[in-house]
Amino acid sequence: MSALLRVDNVGKTFVRSGKPSVEALRAINISVNEGEFASIVGASGSGKSTLLRIIDGLLEPSGGAVFVDNTRVVRPGRDRAMVFQQDSLLPWKTVIENVAYGLTLAKTPWTEASKIAERFIAMTGLTGFEGHYPHQLSGGMRQRVNVARALAVDPRILLLDEPFAALDAQTREIMQTELLSIWEKSSKTVLLITHQIDEAVFLSDRVIILSARPGTVREEISIKLPRPRNLEIKRTAKFVGFVDKIWKLIEAEVRLGLKDSQ
């Protein structure tokens, strides 16, 4: 596999008027191969979401650069699509209208846009809900719409910023299996930000661990677990071993962050 996404020596410092500057990221070097599912974990405040926004082109790095297929990222583009923690659906639009929204913004005729939207509605298990509005859906279903909307614009890279954080534990686990199924069908390159170590291990080919602020790449761990995966794998010794290994790498920084917040 070739590196589709490359983060080269990226740093980010936030300059605040009348207050000390905050260095969020320092010398980040990451590559993600085409078709790979990678995750980033780290203590709160380690700059995970900041890094994802730089990759998407929503934030400019203070140093270094991001490349997609050797082209430098300078702004958001259709080769990347972001799914945020909150579903951010348009409440006055139906499921199919929300899924097709990015296509209609790009001036795709409705006949074509709706056919594309229907494909991803089916892929995300939402067939039969095309005419529903967001308020008529559960939290898990709204996030499926969010994922379908991101996939509909056919990005090369899907960026996920804790997409299941607002869901209850049971729904979150079901959504993890749904996301794996969608990934296997779509063959997209995925980069996930999560606080849940077991979620990262369950979903990923590789887990990237960031240090406390300023975030740096502390270690990368290849997840040598067979695919396809189901939730039962979480009860195996090998799975628990990966979770424990990652937790030990960030435990001290997480505890320090909790102490500082008290």
Side-chain angles (χ1 to χ4, degrees):
M1 290 188 292
S2 59
L4 174 60
L5 170 67
R6 198 171 79 248
V7 179
D8 282 354
N9 208 36
V10 161
K12 180 63 179 179
T13 298
F14 291 98
V15 178
R16 304 182 297 173
S17 178
K19 296 181 180 180
S21 298
V22 175
E23 187 182 15
L25 298 168
R26 177 186 295 171
I28 299 289
N29 290 284
I30 291 171
S31 63
V32 181
N33 294 325
E34 189 156 15
E36 185 179 16
F37 198 127
S39 292
I40 298 175
V41 300
S44 294
S46 59
K48 300 183 296 297
S49 293
T50 297
L51 177 58
L52 208 65
R53 282 160 173 75
I54 290 172
I55 292 170
D56 195 40
L58 295 170
L59 280 177
E60 184 179 352
S62 303
V66 175
F67 297 88
V68 174
D69 206 10
N70 294 318
T71 299
R72 186 168 182 161
V73 170
V74 294
R75 63 180 65 88
R78 288 189 65 175
D79 54 2
R80 287 147 286 135
M82 178 89 86
V83 176
F84 296 96
Q85 292 182 29
Q86 301 299 323
D87 57 63
S88 68
L89 301 177
L90 300 174
W92 59 90
K93 289 185 178 291
T94 62
V95 165
I96 193 168
E97 289 170 339
N98 268 289
V99 173
Y101 184 64
L103 296 167
T104 57
L105 284 179
K107 309 299 183 185
T108 305
W110 177 251
T111 302
E112 181 182 350
S114 61
K115 286 181 180 178
I116 294 170
E118 285 170 359
R119 174 188 165 202
F120 290 102
I121 285 170
M123 185 183 291
T124 50
L126 291 164
T127 299
F129 293 90
E130 294 88 344
H132 284 59
Y133 290 89
H135 75 272
Q136 297 173 306
L137 306 175
S138 67
M141 292 178 75
R142 288 196 299 271
Q143 277 297 48
R144 288 190 199 183
V145 178
N146 220 19
V147 172
R149 181 174 62 183
L151 290 171
V153 298
D154 196 25
R156 298 192 68 187
I157 302 170
L158 189 61
L159 303 171
L160 306 175
D161 189 4
E162 297 202 68
F164 309 140
L167 304 179
D168 63 78
Q170 293 83 4
T171 303
R172 184 172 189 144
E173 291 216 323
I174 296 301
M175 286 300 299
Q176 289 169 11
T177 62
E178 293 289 342
L179 179 59
L180 276 187
S181 176
I182 293 164
W183 171 68
E184 287 160 2
K185 292 173 185 174
S186 67
S187 302
K188 296 297 180 186
T189 303
V190 179
L191 183 59
L192 167 74
I193 298 295
T194 180
H195 277 95
Q196 298 289 122
I197 296 172
D198 68 323
E199 181 170 86
V201 172
F202 179 65
L203 294 171
S204 305
D205 297 310
R206 184 161 47 100
V207 177
I208 300 158
I209 300 145
L210 293 191
S211 68
R213 190 171 64 227
T216 60
V217 177
R218 181 165 182 180
E219 194 162 336
E220 298 185 13
I221 296 176
S222 293
I223 306 300
K224 303 294 187 182
L225 293 171
R227 293 191 185 274
R229 297 173 189 167
N230 56 43
L231 291 172
E232 286 154 7
I233 203 169
K234 291 188 176 186
R235 296 192 287 273
T236 65
K238 196 168 184 180
F239 182 94
V240 173
F242 279 120
V243 173
D244 285 347
K245 182 176 182 179
I246 295 169
W247 170 244
K248 286 173 183 174
L249 287 168
I250 64 173
E251 178 182 11
E253 292 169 347
V254 171
R255 293 188 184 280
L256 183 60
L258 288 172
K259 184 179 179 180
D260 290 345
S261 66
Q262 290 175 351

